[in-house]
Amino acid sequence: MNVYLRRYWQLYALVALPIVYFFIFKYGPMYGVQIAFKDFNFFKGINGSDWIGFEAFREVFKNPDFVKALRNTFMLNFLDLLVSFPAPIILAIILFEIKVVWFKKLSQTILYIPHFISWVIIGGIVYQVFGNDSGMINNIITGMGYPSIPFLSDKNYWLITYLLTGVWQSAGWGTILYLAALAGINKELFEAAEVDGAGRMKRIWHITLPGIQTTVATLLILNLGNMVSIGFDRPYIIGNLIVRDYSEVLSTFVYRVGLESGQYTLATVVGLFQAVVGLIFLIGANFASKKLTGDGII
């Protein structure tokens, strides 16, 4: 073993850096998890605060706002999975089938750009385009004599706007992994299928999709592991008080209750709950994937 260490010390040094990063920034903060079981007092600190057992958990689970936020988190993530997850797969297959190189590169660049735009700017664009009174689309609609559409104030329209905005922002960037997987498929398979008379759709069904099956399964497992977690920026920026019944999710609940109200114990309880449920989802999805496809990540 020492011989390998001396011979490949550069590789071990490279691996050591992310391990140190994980210990400092991922495992180190886990020390603060005990706040969930304490009546945290900022002046007494973590060690000086009194233990309260599962009292904070009972308080959180009885809170109707938490139940609503949990329901919305599951609903938005599930709808995102239905709408946003297949989008990069379809885009990657379309890009893979395009043979004009300059058009393919231009399309990829245009599709990647939204990923680099912050949600603050995207929120501004959404309000400029879909605003009820001054939005570009509603200006056109009302100019034609039709009533405006409440994209951001009606719960159902807001939900559609939220989902489509997510697809626009993430679908292009999500194609990278699928395009990399598609590039690894043996091109002789496509040539042989073409010689045998297989049309484009048959080639996609019998060669392309099986070729990216493992990548799809892996990303699906990771997405299912995040079913109880959701980013803060998107629902907070696009949401508003009128649609709070749908836009209030666990991350905004933690911000509102934990940080704005200074109830750090409750915020930690929600964070710990998300981590445990997310781990259960991840293990369950990995188990199901192994049973169905033979592939998994654990």
Side-chain angles (χ1 to χ4, degrees):
M1 184 176 176
N2 290 332
V3 175
Y4 282 106
L5 280 173
R6 282 196 297 272
R7 185 178 298 172
Y8 303 110
W9 67 269
Q10 299 95 335
L11 294 177
Y12 288 99
L14 287 173
V15 172
L17 290 175
I19 289 176
V20 170
Y21 166 82
F22 269 85
F23 267 107
I24 294 175
F25 295 104
K26 300 295 181 182
Y27 289 98
M30 289 174 70
Y31 173 76
V33 168
Q34 58 180 303
I35 291 176
F37 305 96
K38 288 190 168 186
D39 182 15
F40 179 70
N41 186 305
F42 187 79
F43 297 101
K44 292 181 180 177
I46 296 177
N47 293 326
S49 299
D50 300 325
W51 290 96
I52 57 172
F54 289 93
E55 182 60 34
F57 285 85
R58 284 190 284 271
E59 184 179 346
V60 166
F61 294 148
K62 286 180 182 176
N63 189 325
D65 287 341
F66 168 77
V67 175
K68 185 169 65 178
L70 180 62
R71 181 205 65 186
N72 290 342
T73 302
F74 274 119
M75 179 188 69
L76 293 178
N77 279 335
F78 178 72
L79 291 175
D80 248 345
L81 201 64
L82 287 180
V83 177
S84 298
F85 186 77
I89 300 173
I90 296 168
L91 273 178
I93 292 173
I94 293 171
L95 289 170
F96 185 70
E97 291 292 325
I98 292 175
K99 303 304 178 190
V100 181
V101 177
W102 70 266
F103 183 75
K104 184 176 181 177
K105 289 184 177 178
L106 178 64
S107 303
Q108 284 178 275
T109 303
I110 292 172
L111 291 169
Y112 291 163
I113 287 174
H115 173 78
F116 298 100
I117 304 174
S118 77
W119 274 107
V120 177
I121 297 174
I122 291 176
I125 295 173
V126 167
Y127 279 95
Q128 289 293 322
V129 174
F130 299 104
N132 290 345
D133 299 323
S134 58
M136 183 181 70
I137 294 178
N138 273 326
N139 280 341
I140 296 173
I141 292 174
T142 53
M144 296 170 66
Y146 295 101
S148 63
I149 300 174
F151 289 109
L152 302 176
S153 57
D154 180 87
K155 294 173 186 174
N156 295 323
Y157 280 111
W158 179 87
L159 199 56
I160 295 170
T161 306
Y162 174 89
L163 292 172
L164 294 182
T165 305
V167 171
W168 174 74
Q169 195 269 345
S170 63
W173 185 254
T175 60
I176 291 176
L177 287 175
Y178 295 113
L179 285 172
L182 288 168
I185 299 175
N186 190 344
K187 294 190 184 309
E188 291 181 358
L189 293 173
F190 293 101
E191 293 169 359
E194 201 168 345
V195 170
D196 289 341
R200 174 163 292 169
M201 294 308 295
K202 282 192 174 179
R203 293 200 300 272
I204 290 173
W205 185 256
H206 294 288
I207 301 174
T208 305
L209 288 176
I212 60 174
Q213 176 182 310
T214 304
T215 306
V216 173
T218 302
L219 293 178
L220 182 61
I221 291 170
L222 294 175
N223 274 277
L224 287 172
N226 289 323
M227 279 296 284
V228 79
S229 300
I230 192 166
F232 172 80
D233 298 350
R234 188 172 157 203
Y236 183 76
I237 292 172
I238 299 180
N240 55 69
L241 287 175
I242 302 173
V243 295
R244 177 170 276 187
D245 282 346
Y246 281 0
S247 65
E248 177 80 324
V249 293
L250 287 179
S251 54
T252 55
F253 175 80
V254 168
Y255 173 75
R256 190 165 55 81
V257 175
L259 298 181
E260 284 189 343
S261 304
Q263 302 181 68
Y264 300 107
T265 298
L266 299 186
T268 309
V269 167
V270 177
L272 185 59
F273 170 78
Q274 286 180 286
V276 172
V277 176
L279 180 63
I280 294 170
F281 267 90
L282 183 68
I283 294 173
N286 184 69
F287 177 78
S289 176
K290 278 188 175 178
K291 285 289 182 186
L292 294 172
T293 67
D295 293 319
I297 60 174
I298 302 175

